[in-house]
Amino acid sequence: MSDLEIIILAAGKGTRMGGEKPKVLVELAGRPMLSYILDTVAQVHDKKPIIVVGFQADKVKAAMGPGQRYVFQANQLGTGHAVREALAEVSPSAKYIIVLNGDQPLVGPTTISSLYKAHTAQTSSGQSSTHQPLTISTIRVPDFTDWRMPFYDFGRIIRDEKGLIKKIVEKSEATEQEKAVTEVNPAYYCFDAEWLRDRVKNIDAVNSKGEFYITSLIGMAQAEGAILNSIEIPEHHGLGVNTPEQLTVALKFVEIK
């Protein structure tokens, strides 16, 4: 994995958590959420990830220590914007980039390594990476009840009649029919680095929040004729923590990554 860079998006405030600390510093079983992800990355990759910080960046840096690689996102304008800011720190020699999220502390080492292996396998199999520039992770749930309720807020994976990924729709943009889809997007991606550098600057903010979504890259890839590669990951690996209730859910899984 020497040709890989990993970006962790950790700039958000976490308004729904209450309090004034950055969301990634909310404690899960006595530790900041972000620390779990850093430990997981260290299990599968020798190179430290790039951490995109924003809200109370100094506190995040103090908690994680000076030995990390940080990029400051002055204005929190969405995930696509955060990735664009992080690219300044990515090594020019990197061939692949994985994007993770700082409020999803239960991502396991198997998910990271599987995402990398699935993407590099299909790009090195003789097929042009121009046509398969990214690999997407997905989660299938039977429903959105009980501990799976947090997944209701995730984007939906919309597939065509052949089972190929047609689009990813953010919950805030989804129709009622699309909200009923139970294959969701935990927002872990592996990109061809060169393709990402060229395309991320073209993301627009034509949506209800006026933000630059990383999922816009899906549409760009498909407009170029891409057949999107995907892997399915364990449900709990994608659990996010945006509310105190979701923190309680995550506590049930903290020892089984």
Side-chain angles (χ1 to χ4, degrees):
M1 298 172 69
S2 60
D3 52 4
L4 172 70
E5 288 269 29
I6 296 177
I7 297 171
I8 302 174
L9 308 183
K13 181 177 181 180
T15 305
R16 289 185 288 167
M17 288 301 301
E20 290 299 320
K21 67 170 57 177
K23 182 164 57 172
V24 296
L25 296 188
V26 170
E27 291 191 350
L28 176 66
R31 293 176 51 193
M33 290 196 292
L34 182 55
S35 70
Y36 286 93
I37 305 172
L38 296 180
D39 285 353
T40 296
V41 169
Q43 293 179 51
V44 296
H45 197 23
D46 293 335
K47 192 170 187 179
K48 288 188 177 294
I50 300 164
I51 306 170
V52 182
V53 295
F55 177 70
Q56 295 189 357
D58 290 344
K59 288 187 177 181
V60 177
K61 291 179 180 180
M64 297 299 110
Q68 306 296 336
R69 301 164 69 198
Y70 299 102
V71 167
F72 181 62
Q73 185 187 18
N75 299 304
Q76 282 75 69
L77 299 177
T79 52
H81 179 260
V83 169
R84 187 172 68 190
E85 298 291 280
L87 288 176
E89 180 65 21
V90 169
S91 169
S93 64
K95 293 182 179 180
Y96 308 104
I97 296 172
I98 284 179
V99 179
L100 305 174
N101 301 289
D103 60 357
Q104 290 171 288
L106 301 179
V107 60
T110 55
T111 284
I112 296 173
S113 59
S114 295
L115 188 58
Y116 172 79
K117 290 175 182 177
H119 186 69
T120 55
Q122 58 90 13
T123 57
S124 63
S125 64
Q127 300 183 46
S128 171
S129 61
T130 301
H131 296 293
Q132 294 192 332
L134 70 154
T135 296
I136 300 164
S137 60
T138 79
I139 291 172
R140 293 181 187 270
V141 295
D143 51 50
F144 298 112
T145 63
D146 195 40
W147 68 268
R148 296 182 179 89
M149 287 181 65
F151 293 121
Y152 185 71
D153 291 331
F154 282 36
R156 302 305 197 271
I157 305 292
I158 308 300
R159 295 182 181 268
D160 63 19
E161 62 279 358
K162 296 181 180 179
L164 300 175
I165 295 175
K166 182 178 179 181
K167 60 182 178 178
I168 299 178
V169 183
E170 298 294 331
K171 183 224 172 184
S172 61
E173 309 291 328
T175 65
E176 290 304 311
Q177 183 178 5
E178 289 168 338
K179 288 177 184 177
V181 172
T182 55
E183 185 179 15
V184 299
N185 175 31
Y188 304 145
Y189 310 98
C190 186
F191 294 93
D192 283 356
E194 183 177 356
W195 185 90
L196 181 61
R197 289 189 188 98
D198 288 342
R199 306 311 192 275
V200 73
K201 59 190 176 185
N202 296 324
I203 296 175
D204 61 36
V206 183
N207 54 70
S208 62
K209 293 185 177 180
E211 294 184 352
F212 298 86
Y213 292 148
I214 193 172
T215 47
S216 297
L217 293 165
I218 308 301
M220 291 185 194
Q222 290 175 314
E224 297 170 9
I227 297 175
L228 300 180
N229 192 37
S230 66
I231 64 166
E232 190 173 335
I233 67 172
E235 294 168 86
H236 66 280
H237 280 203
L239 279 171
V241 177
N242 291 292
T243 67
E245 293 77 17
Q246 292 176 4
L247 183 64
T248 300
V249 171
L251 277 169
K252 300 177 181 178
F253 296 94
V254 73
E255 297 299 331
I256 59 172
K257 292 169 65 177

